Amino acid sequence: MSTGLAKIPEHPARRRDRYQLKGKYKLFLIALPFLVLVFLFSYLPLYGWIYSLYNYFPAIPLSQSEFVGLRWFTMMFSNEVQRDEMMRVLRNTFAISSLGIVTSVFPVIFAILLQEIRSTKFKRLVQTFTTLPNFISWVLVYSFAFMMFAVDNGFVNNLLLRLGWIDTPLNILASDNHTWLAMTLWGVWKGLGWGAIMYIAAITGIDTELYEAARVDGAGRFKQIWHITVPGIIPTYFVLLILSIANFINNGLDQYFVFANAMNMSNIEVLDLYVYNIGMANSNFGFATAVSIMKSLVSLFLLFLANGMSKVVRGESII
Amino acid sequence: MLRPKKSLLILVLVCILTVFTTACNSGGNNAADSASPSPGQAGSEGQNNGDSQVITDWSKEPEVTLSVFSVLANYAGEQPGWFAKLVKDKFNIKLNIIQGSTDRVATQMASGDLGDLVVGMGGKNYTDSIKAGLLLDWTKDGLIDKYAPNMQKYAPQALEANRKQYGGGTSIYGIGNNVGSGDGPSEGATMTFGPYLRWDLYQELGSPKIQTLDDYLPVLKKMQELQPKSESGKKTYGFSLWSDWDGNFSTLAKVTAQFYGYAETDGFNTGDMILVKADEAKYQPILDEDSYYMKGLKFYFDANQMGLLDPDSLTQKFGDVSNKFKDGQVLFAQFPWLVNVYNTPDHTSDGKGFALVPFAEEQIYSNGFNPYGSGWLWSIGAKTKHPERVMAFLDWMYSPEGVAEGYHGPKGMSWDVDAEGKPALTELGLQTMYNPDTPIPDEYGGGVWSDGAGNFGKLNNGTIITSSINPETGEPYDFNLWTSTLTRNPDPVTKSWREAMGVLTDKEWFVKNNQVAIMKPFFNGQAPAEEPSDIKLKHSQVGKVIKEFSWKMMFAKDQAEFDSLKQDLLTKAKGLGYDDVIKWQLGQTESTVFTMYK
């Protein structure tokens, strides 16, 4: 017994040593290509931040460009109107992103409901049709929207007029009513099926014995959903939620770019679109870089905030 | 056991890395050498160069593909149709067109390679490209003397201007577009602007006299009542606008200025926030109380109040508007080229079609002939492997033959000269010029007319202005101005219009009635000044606000809302630095173009 006791702790320790010595290089080497990629695509571009300190024009090397220091940064807040502009753009960004986060439970609900459908054929059909919009580019979505909502011979207006529900056609696309909500709904329409895939996978991963046991204990369908399915996919949901909070400020460009017009510009112009309109479309690259840097800093702050909250609320963090 | 495994792993990893890095490298090389021929071909042209022997027959040289970076192109990919065949036969080159939008230009410039032929680049991008050594100096190795006899003959002042403005008096980095000399408007049969009305409906109303711009509104209202539905049964509108071409303002509202002889440019500097008179030292800041831009906004606001403005104007794209014109849904056109889709032989033979209906106060803006060339320059990329061939091709486009064939197709196909050497359209030409979908015989490249048509195919830039006289025929290049075209039996719409107006063309009417303001070319041997970076940023921010509020004002519910939006626009624009932008732009105009009037 004494020999046995002496041996047991010794053995795993030796194995751990061997493992650490021989295996770590292998693991490192396996990870290396990806580390290289991360370095190339996530860290190397940070070098580009240097452009925010120059008055840069393409083709002219930095050494010959005018050094402007922090002028682009101060310009963002230089006077009342400029500050209002920044505030407006940030407000739009935060509002649309918040709505996006609120609606992020929709795919969860949708996935659960989808799993409850008995007929496999119908389930497949629903899933295909809801996943499809994800693959349509926003440019095409806009032409579809224009066909549907145009004042002159748009489908919706024609329908409502024929039904006698309205007297004058509605100009839905050129209106500033509920722009944030409308944009969120377009986003939900496009992303619902796609977003549900991850949760469907999570549901499939739940042990069926749990359901059987619950049924034996007399749980109905709703009880099963509430006590087994929901807790089963909550971890997945939280990971995705935290990642989406880090992406809070990057709510993309293309959707808002295609739907933007003079009427809704003041409420649709999110940060990315603003950077495009001012920076790229008018080649103010230094200014655009400065705005993007501010954006990165805010993103970083939000990520740590979400992570910290997760630690407090759930006792787990992802970083 | 472990060792071989490990080394295998390392080997695999090294392979992966090599693949990654070489993929990156070869990608870079490809971009730089997209036009490079096989080594053998490079050798043959290199030899020719070494012999200092001038090549005259390019069709015997090996085939190359030139990458054409066109800022003006509306097309990407290989040039199709009869123009491709023409260029292939003459120069044995294929043209691969790269479309350059504003942001694409920046990317291409940052990559350090602008391709072989650069079309339509001007302004700051052009001067920066020269500074960064991206453009070829044509005087190097006597390139211009050997391969550009036509430019030297037909556009010598344009070359000289480039030498002084951009080449420090020695080098030549390109040549301006639309070169021409002479007096009077440089436009063709039609001017650049209108207004055009549905002539049949206007006649039916008894051709009411139109004194001011606002007089169009009641007339259009009556026309709309006369024809409430289009051919496919849709509602008709007086105006249908589009916003996808807008830069720093609503383009269609700004066209109002051109009806009064003002434009957003002084013809030399790059500013667009002051409206400048074509032929006088007069100007209006764009947001001034009584500027023609504001007048334009008010005009479309009134139109909307009367139910004449298409409510989709803001959200639709140009393509949608063009379809509405085609269907007869729109009754007023700002530009002559808008109405081509409606004025088809089918419609005009029925007496239906658009025609110019000017207003008594109108003084149309016109570009005069400019021997120095305009600002959409033609230039050659510094990294080209075929400088001689690109130069020769470009020179051909500046020759009488090149201009004539580049626009109207090879001689003998859609046009030809008669016994006296005067040009006339052939049977085929009479179809192609009025129906772009006319099939083209295979010997000329096949496809349809529109495949090859345009300003030198899909390159979309001018060389010698087409209203100038072709020395080989003694008539203008533009077929619309040929005697044979003007004397041919016109369609009923044109016939009725000519009888009513007493002239043959739009241009003739404006000139005859002295209702045209012709811009004079300005040249002081210097390039236009560059906008300082802070002004540039303010400029784009102000522009964004002007564009946004302009559309809101046009669609305002009532006069009170219109006025309050106008007030908001002024407050916001001024807060973003509107006054600084105006001050800078005005300073430039006063120190250059306005000195001509002192």
Side-chain angles (χ1 to χ4, degrees):
Chain A
M1 200 180 152
S2 67
T3 47
L5 270 175
K7 263 186 182 171
I8 289 164
E10 206 180 299
H11 191 62
R14 225 174 40 216
R15 266 180 69 181
R16 209 182 299 133
D17 282 348
R18 256 182 62 190
Y19 188 75
Q20 281 189 347
L21 271 174
K22 300 260 163 67
K24 61 180 179 185
Y25 297 110
K26 194 167 145 192
L27 286 173
F28 179 71
L29 280 173
I30 291 172
L32 188 65
F34 303 100
L35 289 177
V36 169
L37 288 181
V38 168
F39 176 76
L40 282 180
F41 290 103
S42 300
Y43 285 92
L44 203 61
L46 291 182
Y47 170 74
W49 280 12
I50 199 168
Y51 290 104
S52 67
L53 304 176
Y54 288 88
N55 183 18
Y56 172 73
F57 291 100
I60 307 286
L62 277 185
S63 53
Q64 289 167 38
S65 299
E66 180 198 358
F67 182 79
V68 298
L70 294 176
R71 191 170 82 200
W72 299 125
F73 291 91
T74 52
M75 207 146 177
M76 274 184 260
F77 307 101
S78 57
N79 67 34
E80 188 78 15
V81 180
Q82 285 281 10
R83 276 195 293 277
D84 284 353
E85 280 285 289
M86 281 317 282
M87 287 323 288
R88 178 179 64 82
V89 170
L90 282 175
R91 195 170 59 235
N92 293 337
T93 310
F94 277 68
I96 293 178
S97 287
S98 305
L99 283 171
I101 284 176
V102 170
T103 54
S104 70
V105 295
F106 286 11
V108 180
I109 299 169
F110 181 70
I112 293 172
L113 294 179
L114 206 61
Q115 276 314 94
E116 293 298 319
I117 294 175
R118 291 261 162 79
S119 154
T120 342
K121 251 190 192 161
F122 182 63
K123 191 157 98 180
R124 287 269 157 79
L125 196 75
V126 172
Q127 212 188 336
T128 311
F129 270 91
T130 48
T131 313
L132 215 56
N134 182 64
F135 300 101
I136 305 172
S137 78
W138 280 112
V139 177
L140 290 178
V141 171
Y142 182 76
S143 33
F144 170 69
F146 185 72
M147 248 161 54
M148 293 287 287
F149 297 114
V151 180
D152 182 67
N153 275 291
F155 174 77
V156 171
N157 273 315
N158 277 359
L159 188 74
L160 294 177
L161 283 171
R162 296 252 166 94
L163 288 172
W165 291 3
I166 51 171
D167 303 325
T168 47
L170 306 169
N171 201 345
I172 294 162
L173 293 173
S175 114
D176 200 18
N177 297 332
H178 316 298
T179 304
W180 295 342
L181 204 61
M183 285 301 112
T184 309
L185 289 179
W186 279 110
V188 169
W189 170 76
K190 200 168 183 288
L192 188 67
W194 180 254
I197 289 180
M198 196 90 81
Y199 301 117
I200 291 172
I203 294 173
T204 328
I206 297 172
D207 195 344
T208 43
E209 280 179 25
L210 289 172
Y211 290 102
E212 282 159 19
R215 265 201 295 277
V216 171
D217 288 346
R221 278 178 94 170
F222 282 102
K223 282 257 161 96
Q224 285 179 36
I225 292 174
W226 189 248
H227 292 290
I228 300 169
T229 315
V230 172
I233 56 177
I234 276 288
T236 316
Y237 176 70
F238 264 89
V239 169
L240 293 180
L241 184 69
I242 290 176
L243 291 178
S244 71
I245 289 176
N247 258 335
F248 196 74
I249 207 157
N250 304 314
N251 38 18
L253 161 79
D254 27 3
Q255 177 185 1
Y256 312 103
F257 178 74
V258 297
F259 277 96
N261 58 49
M263 295 299 162
N264 62 19
M265 188 56 99
S266 57
N267 282 324
I268 205 172
E269 203 172 29
V270 295
L271 205 56
D272 285 329
L273 182 57
Y274 181 74
V275 169
Y276 177 82
N277 283 344
I278 296 293
M280 303 300 161
N282 287 296
S283 358
N284 296 305
F285 295 103
F287 182 73
T289 314
V291 177
S292 299
I293 292 176
M294 303 300 278
K295 206 179 101 173
S296 302
L297 296 179
V298 176
S299 277
L300 214 57
F301 170 75
L302 285 171
L303 175 67
F304 281 111
L305 187 78
N307 197 43
M309 270 164 62
S310 168
K311 228 184 254 175
V312 171
V313 176
R314 296 175 59 238
E316 291 175 33
S317 63
I318 55 163
I319 305 171
Chain B
M1 196 61 198
L2 205 79
R3 236 160 231 290
K5 233 187 194 170
K6 200 164 152 186
S7 52
L8 191 72
L9 190 77
I10 292 171
L11 191 74
V12 169
L13 285 174
V14 168
C15 287
I16 293 173
L17 273 178
T18 341
V19 168
F20 272 123
T21 43
T22 47
C24 289
N25 280 342
S26 64
N29 285 342
N30 278 345
D33 295 351
S34 58
S36 72
S38 67
Q41 289 172 337
S44 77
E45 278 197 30
Q47 269 174 8
N48 285 329
N49 200 6
D51 291 347
S52 80
Q53 185 190 333
V54 178
I55 302 161
T56 46
D57 188 2
W58 290 98
S59 62
K60 301 277 188 325
E61 296 296 306
E63 179 188 287
V64 293
T65 301
L66 299 184
S67 50
V68 180
F69 185 64
S70 176
V71 178
L72 304 166
N74 296 309
Y75 178 91
E78 197 174 304
Q79 169 67 45
W82 58 261
F83 186 68
K85 178 84 164 56
L86 183 64
V87 175
K88 177 86 171 57
D89 288 350
K90 280 204 185 340
F91 294 96
N92 206 12
I93 52 182
K94 286 182 174 172
L95 301 168
N96 181 32
I97 295 166
I98 302 156
Q99 200 182 356
S101 56
T102 324
D103 26 359
R104 193 89 61 85
V105 178
T107 321
Q108 197 86 15
M109 282 172 70
S111 82
D113 185 4
L114 291 172
D116 298 302
L117 181 61
V118 188
V119 184
M121 194 160 76
K124 179 155 175 59
N125 285 334
Y126 184 72
T127 46
D128 278 353
S129 296
I130 293 172
K131 224 187 283 175
L134 300 183
L135 296 180
L136 186 76
D137 176 5
W138 296 0
T139 58
K140 216 169 69 182
D141 303 330
L143 196 61
I144 198 160
D145 294 325
K146 277 189 237 165
Y147 295 104
N150 288 302
M151 279 184 196
Q152 290 179 330
K153 188 166 173 197
Y154 298 106
Q157 278 174 288
L159 287 175
E160 238 3 82
N162 193 282
R163 193 198 297 269
K164 284 192 184 127
Q165 285 182 308
Y166 301 104
T170 50
S171 307
I172 295 176
Y173 290 103
I175 186 164
N177 66 315
N178 288 350
V179 177
S181 56
D183 296 322
S186 67
E187 285 83 359
T190 57
M191 304 298 282
T192 317
F193 309 95
Y196 293 79
L197 291 183
R198 271 285 293 281
W199 184 250
D200 45 325
L201 301 175
Y202 179 68
Q203 292 281 78
E204 221 172 303
L205 290 174
S207 311
K209 181 111 186 88
I210 295 180
Q211 197 67 30
T212 67
L213 188 65
D214 293 327
D215 289 349
Y216 284 105
L217 297 175
V219 174
L220 282 165
K221 190 73 203 168
K222 280 186 207 141
M223 285 166 68
Q224 193 188 28
E225 281 158 10
L226 205 62
Q227 179 130 6
K229 295 269 182 233
S230 75
E231 272 160 44
S232 64
K234 292 175 187 159
K235 189 172 188 281
T236 55
Y237 296 105
F239 311 90
S240 191
L241 316 179
W242 61 98
S243 62
D244 49 334
W245 293 6
D246 288 356
N248 288 319
F249 40 73
S250 159
T251 309
L252 276 298
K254 184 267 312 170
V255 168
T256 316
Q258 263 103 353
F259 295 153
Y260 286 94
Y262 283 76
E264 75 277 22
T265 168
D266 59 22
F268 178 75
N269 291 297
T270 50
D272 60 2
M273 293 275 116
I274 45 171
L275 304 171
V276 183
K277 185 82 197 289
D279 52 359
E280 281 174 275
K282 281 188 186 167
Y283 69 92
Q284 303 173 329
I286 192 163
L287 296 183
D288 256 24
E289 183 66 34
D290 47 4
S291 81
Y292 290 118
Y293 182 73
M294 295 307 244
K295 193 182 172 77
L297 295 181
K298 181 76 169 61
F299 178 68
Y300 290 115
F301 163 75
D302 289 337
N304 189 40
Q305 297 292 308
M306 294 170 70
L308 286 169
L309 183 59
D310 180 355
D312 284 331
S313 289
L314 176 58
T315 45
Q316 66 194 349
K317 310 278 179 228
F318 171 70
D320 301 312
V321 178
S322 190
N323 285 334
K324 286 180 179 178
F325 267 100
K326 200 174 186 170
D327 185 39
Q329 259 190 290
V330 194
L331 307 173
F332 179 102
Q334 293 85 351
F335 305 101
W337 42 263
L338 263 177
V339 305
N340 293 343
V341 286
Y342 189 81
N343 283 10
T344 55
D346 276 354
H347 283 137
T348 49
S349 57
D350 283 355
K352 292 196 284 187
F354 282 88
L356 175 78
V357 181
F359 56 104
E361 271 184 9
E362 181 167 1
Q363 202 186 17
I364 200 165
Y365 184 91
S366 162
N367 287 305
F369 287 99
N370 189 344
Y372 313 111
S374 301
W376 292 342
L377 294 113
W378 296 84
S379 44
I380 298 177
K383 291 206 174 140
T384 180
K385 297 277 194 303
H386 319 278
E388 299 88 3
R389 186 115 49 139
V390 184
M391 193 77 234
F393 170 53
L394 186 52
D395 184 62
W396 170 77
M397 291 194 280
Y398 273 84
S399 71
E401 180 197 298
V403 178
E405 300 199 333
Y407 283 86
H408 299 142
K411 190 163 121 182
M413 179 176 95
S414 47
W415 65 281
D416 215 332
V417 290
D418 60 15
E420 284 125 53
K422 295 290 167 202
L425 294 175
T426 59
E427 275 307 305
L428 183 67
L430 285 170
Q431 290 171 39
T432 58
M433 297 306 171
Y434 302 98
N435 178 11
D437 294 330
T438 308
I440 299 297
D442 282 341
E443 51 168 321
Y444 295 114
V448 295
W449 169 256
S450 61
D451 289 345
N455 302 332
F456 298 104
K458 309 288 184 192
L459 271 52
N460 206 15
N461 195 15
T463 52
I464 305 284
I465 197 156
T466 54
S467 57
S468 59
I469 304 290
N470 180 348
E472 288 177 3
T473 61
E475 297 222 0
Y477 290 103
D478 183 353
F479 81 94
N480 287 300
L481 298 171
W482 293 347
T483 319
S484 61
T485 308
L486 292 174
T487 52
R488 197 175 344 103
N489 199 16
D491 62 67
V493 176
T494 313
K495 190 160 179 272
S496 146
W497 183 85
R498 283 181 181 171
E499 279 162 11
M501 307 297 268
V503 288
L504 288 176
T505 66
D506 296 3
K507 178 161 82 175
E508 201 185 330
W509 188 89
F510 282 113
V511 172
K512 192 176 138 194
N513 290 282
N514 203 18
Q515 279 183 241
V516 56
I518 303 167
M519 195 193 71
K520 280 197 230 167
F522 173 80
F523 184 73
N524 65 353
Q526 276 161 13
E530 284 172 13
E531 208 171 18
S533 56
D534 56 323
I535 296 289
K536 186 180 161 74
L537 183 60
K538 285 175 183 170
H539 185 177
S540 45
Q541 286 181 317
V542 169
K544 215 161 73 64
V545 169
I546 295 181
K547 190 166 64 175
E548 183 185 332
F549 277 80
S550 298
W551 284 99
K552 284 186 174 168
M553 284 162 74
M554 287 189 259
F555 282 97
K557 273 196 291 295
D558 47 37
Q559 185 66 45
E561 195 190 340
F562 181 88
D563 291 335
S564 94
L565 282 167
K566 190 159 115 184
Q567 214 45 55
D568 289 353
L569 166 59
L570 289 173
T571 319
K572 241 182 155 176
K574 283 185 198 292
L576 290 168
Y578 168 76
D579 292 330
D580 300 335
V581 179
I582 295 291
K583 196 176 147 206
W584 187 82
Q585 293 193 356
L586 186 59
Q588 296 308 312
T589 299
E590 281 180 333
S591 64
T592 54
V593 176
F594 282 0
T595 56
M596 287 195 294
Y597 305 107
K598 273 174 190 159

